[in-house]
Amino acid sequence: MGFREHASRVRRIVGIVLAVLLIGGVAVAVVAGRDSKDTSTATKTVRGVIGSEKAEFFADPEVVKALAAKGFTVKAETSGSWAMDQLPLKDYDFAFPGSKAPADELQRRSSVKGGPIRPFYSPLVVVAHRGAAQVLADNGLATLSGKSSGKLLMAPYLKAAKADRTWQQLKGAGKHAELTGTVFITSTDPVASNSGALYLAAASYVADGGRVAADEAAVDRTAPLMKKLIQVQGAQQTSSDAPFRDFISGVGNPLVLVYESQVASLLLLQKQELGDLVVLYPDTTVSSDHTLVPLTDSGRQFGELLSTDRRLRELAVRHGFRPQGAAAEFTAATAGHTDYIDQQLTGIRQAPVPTATVLRAMARRTRG
C-alpha cells in the first residue's frame, strides 16, 4: 500500500471516530439536560375554562409572570358559568365558574380526588349614579352611608318592582331627566350567566319570606315576580362587563347589577376616578364564590397555588377579588377606598343559593 493510500485510509478512520464521538457527545449533552432538573424556565401548561369576569385577571402580564415563576402557563377560555357543564371538558385541566352551584355539578364529572377549591369571592352590588341613589333613598328603597355607598333595601325594591313603579312616581325624580320609565335593575341573562342567576337566588329568597327555593313549588311561588324582574329588561347580556362599561361611560340603565370586584378593580388596578358612582350593597345578597374544579392532577396543583401563593392573592386583590381566608389583605388594599367599598359587609345578609337544578328551573321560567 502506497503512502497516499495509507494516509487516506487513516483520515477516513479518524473521521469516522470523530463523528462517532461527536454524536456521542450530543447524546450525552441531551441526557444531562434532562437529568439536570433545571426548571428555571420550564412551565407546565394547564388548560381551563373560566367565567368571563376572571378574563382580565388571567390576561394580566403580572399574573402570567407570577404563574410562570411557579412553573405554570395557563391557557384559559371563557364561558358563561352556568353553561360550562354543556362543554366537552375531556382535554381541560380545570373549570372555574363564578359560583358554587355550577361547580358542584361540574365536580360530579371529575375523577380527581378532593373537592373544589375557592381561591376568592366577590359580593354582588348595584351601581347607580348619585342622583338615582338619592331618589331611591328618599323613597325608602335604599339607605346612603355617604356620597358613594349605601344599601339597596331588597324587600321595598321588590315591592316596587311587583307594582311596576316608575321613576316618575318617585318623589325627587323629576329633577333628573335621565330617570324615566320603570324602575328596574339591569342584570345578565340568568340562564347562561352567573351574576344573573345569583340575582334570582337573592331576589327569590327575599320574595319567599327568607326561604331558599328547594323544589318546584318554591319556584312556582316566586315565578311571576322573577319573570317581571327579567323581562322588564328586554335583551340581556351574558357577561356583566358590557353593562358595567356602558354605565361607566354614562349610557344605559340607571341601576346595574355588577360584581364588587369590578368596582374595586377600577380603584385598585386602574386607579380610575369614579365620579358620581354610588355602590349599593343589597341588604340581602349572594356572594360569587369563584370555585375551581380540578379535572386533572395538574389542575388541582394550579388551583391550590391560586389559594396559597401570596403574590397571586395580592394580584387577585388588585383585580378586586376578596381572597378566601385572607380578609386582612383585602382590607389593607382597600383602606383608602372605604367611601365606595364596605370592607366588612356590615349588616348584609347572605342568602343561601338553591341547587343548580332548581336555579336553572327558576331561570327558565323567567323566559316563558
Side-chain angles (χ1 to χ4, degrees), residues 10-175:
V10 169
R11 283 197 298 271
R12 284 197 299 273
I13 293 171
V14 169
I16 291 170
V17 171
L18 287 173
V20 170
L21 289 173
L22 181 60
I23 293 169
V26 171
V28 169
V30 169
V31 171
R34 287 174 179 168
D35 291 343
S36 69
K37 298 182 180 179
D38 179 7
T39 59
S40 59
T41 58
T43 59
K44 179 185 296 183
T45 299
V46 289
R47 183 184 177 204
V49 57
I50 63 172
S52 59
E53 69 284 340
K54 294 181 284 291
E56 288 189 4
F57 172 74
F58 282 107
D60 185 340
E62 290 298 316
V63 173
V64 173
K65 181 180 177 181
L67 287 168
K70 296 296 181 177
F72 281 94
T73 296
V74 178
K75 291 187 176 180
E77 303 165 24
T78 60
S79 166
S81 293
W82 293 81
M84 286 184 188
D85 68 323
Q86 306 299 315
L87 299 174
L89 297 175
K90 180 181 177 183
D91 297 323
Y92 290 81
D93 295 290
F94 66 91
F96 202 175
S99 60
K100 181 178 180 295
D104 287 343
E105 228 174 61
L106 289 162
Q107 179 64 32
R108 287 191 278 272
R109 296 171 57 181
S110 175
S111 59
V112 178
K113 291 183 179 179
I117 300 166
R118 299 180 183 87
F120 42 73
Y121 67 100
S122 181
L124 289 173
V125 299
V126 173
V127 290
H129 293 295
R130 190 165 297 129
Q134 188 63 58
V135 169
L136 293 178
D138 290 344
N139 288 270
L141 304 180
T143 60
L144 298 180
S145 53
K147 288 185 177 181
S148 302
S149 65
K151 288 188 177 68
L152 178 74
L153 306 180
M154 284 293 286
Y157 166 72
L158 292 176
K159 183 178 179 181
K162 188 174 183 179
D164 298 317
R165 291 188 76 181
T166 65
W167 286 102
Q168 292 92 323
Q169 294 172 327
L170 301 182
K171 63 181 180 182
K175 301 175 184 177

Side-chain angles (χ1 to χ4, degrees), residues 21 35 61 78 87 93 155 168 204 239 248 284 286 327 353 355 364:
L21 289 173
D35 291 343
T78 60
L87 299 174
D93 295 290
Q168 292 92 323
S204 64
S239 167
I248 293 297
T284 301
V286 174
V353 179
T355 65
R364 286 194 297 268

